[in-house]
Amino acid sequence: MFVVCRSNSSSFRSVVAATRPCFSCPRFPPLIAIPTPSSSIRFPPLRSFSSPRQITRMASKVAQDQQDSRLERISSAIRVIPDFPKPGIMFQDITTLLLDTKAFRDTIDLFVERYRDKNISVVAGVEARGFIFGPPIALAIGAKFVPMRKPNKLPGEVISEEYSLEYGTDKMEMHVGAVQPGDRALIIDDLIATGGTLGAAIKLLERVGVHVVECACVIELPELKGREKLGDKSLFVLVKGAA
Ligand SMILES: O=P(O)(O)OC[C@H]1O[C@H](OP(=O)(O)OP(=O)(O)O)[C@H](O)[C@@H]1O
Ligand SMILES: Nc1ncnc2[nH]cnc12
């Protein structure tokens, strides 16, 4: 699995190669502190920085390393289950990510850091797993949360859009009146595979005059070329997995 922070519309990209075995949620063994006699401690020489630019470069390297370590932790916390829900599917299970409070918080923080200054008025979450990540992001950036639901779940008047999936077909519905023309939306889901789901969400929102600023997912399965279904819409993902 690749740890990646990627948007197809910007140069924001930090990639660290990492592997993620199936079935497990591996953790690094704890570091063991070995007592050292104080007389033997050797400190590296202090470096002097000759220009503010060098200091800025150091600071951005530190920020980059912190981001990469967050992405690695998120990647490691996602479990992969082969042959679920049917043979040939490598199921990316985010429930293990939710058990890791640091990785879950980092996931939300990375999205909030990206979207808090983008003037987003609606976070549209796709059922079911977009309902997990969407609301905390919406609250943090001061946007309303709108659920994009499976058919016959919403009680009010709905508009709907059919779409095809990696394993079947489905329909997505949204309440009439939940969004207004001119709203600026972020669409959030846990994963993009073939892109059918996000494509349907974009269509639903655009049909009622909403501007979709970006789609965001925790995981992308690049082999399935889901990005191609999004037209010119930008997609931001944290990690990539094998289909
Ligand atoms: O890019 P696509 O090929 O459209 O697939 C991605 C969608 O598939 C999964 O949901 P699923 O349809 O399995 O529904 P669930 O979250 O309710 O289980 C996933 O959570 C995405 O919503
Ligand atoms: N491989 C996969 N893992 C989890 N959710 C999915 N939705 C579509 N493909 C999926």
Side-chain angles (χ1 to χ4, degrees):
M1 145 103 30
F2 287 108
V3 178
V4 56
C5 228
R6 176 159 188 237
S7 154
N8 55 1
S9 73
S10 80
S11 58
F12 178 37
R13 183 185 166 106
S14 78
V15 183
V16 198
T19 53
R20 198 146 56 60
C22 298
F23 285 118
S24 62
C25 183
R27 291 279 170 279
F28 293 111
L31 290 177
I32 299 165
I34 301 167
T36 318
S38 58
S39 61
S40 71
I41 294 175
R42 295 279 179 278
F43 294 103
L46 285 176
R47 291 182 61 189
S48 62
F49 297 101
S50 52
S51 72
R53 195 185 294 166
Q54 271 183 297
I55 295 168
T56 309
R57 226 183 279 136
M58 266 301 271
S60 76
K61 171 86 172 64
V62 169
Q64 184 68 62
D65 288 349
Q66 279 169 350
Q67 175 158 295
D68 289 346
S69 75
R70 286 192 288 177
L71 293 173
E72 280 181 67
R73 187 175 183 119
I74 291 164
S75 177
S76 300
I78 298 164
R79 176 170 63 168
V80 181
I81 310 269
D83 300 323
F84 181 88
K86 63 183 197 186
I89 303 289
M90 297 289 280
F91 192 84
Q92 310 283 325
D93 179 17
I94 53 92
T95 64
T96 44
L97 169 65
L98 309 178
L99 300 175
D100 182 333
T101 54
K102 169 126 180 49
F104 187 19
R105 176 172 293 281
D106 285 345
T107 303
I108 301 303
D109 286 350
L110 282 162
F111 288 128
V112 170
E113 285 161 22
R114 182 171 178 86
Y115 296 112
R116 69 178 149 220
D117 297 322
K118 296 251 167 52
N119 199 20
I120 285 167
S121 54
V122 181
V123 174
V126 178
E127 184 168 355
R129 290 164 258 163
F131 293 2
I132 297 168
F133 299 102
I137 298 167
L139 286 174
I141 67 174
K144 59 188 174 186
F145 179 78
V146 172
M148 316 283 275
R149 296 218 62 177
K150 309 269 185 206
N152 308 314
K153 298 282 187 185
L154 291 169
E157 189 188 347
V158 296
I159 56 167
S160 57
E161 191 73 39
E162 278 201 28
Y163 61 101
S164 53
L165 284 167
E166 189 186 1
Y167 39 83
T169 62
D170 218 332
K171 194 154 104 176
M172 183 182 298
E173 295 187 339
M174 178 178 69
H175 264 150
V176 170
V179 292
Q180 277 71 47
D183 265 335
R184 288 171 53 82
L186 163 67
I187 303 176
I188 187 102
D189 204 350
D190 67 323
L191 176 142
I192 176 166
T194 65
T197 306
L198 286 181
I202 293 169
K203 279 190 195 142
L204 263 187
L205 289 162
E206 289 189 336
R207 268 168 55 189
V208 290
V210 171
H211 173 65
V212 176
V213 176
E214 193 159 83
C215 300
C217 292
V218 180
I219 309 158
E220 178 182 11
L221 306 182
E223 285 162 66
L224 299 176
K225 301 187 189 319
R227 279 174 189 265
E228 292 173 10
K229 289 242 183 73
L230 307 186
D232 61 355
K233 284 294 159 224
S234 175
L235 170 69
F236 174 71
V237 297
L238 300 183
V239 303
K240 293 185 172 196

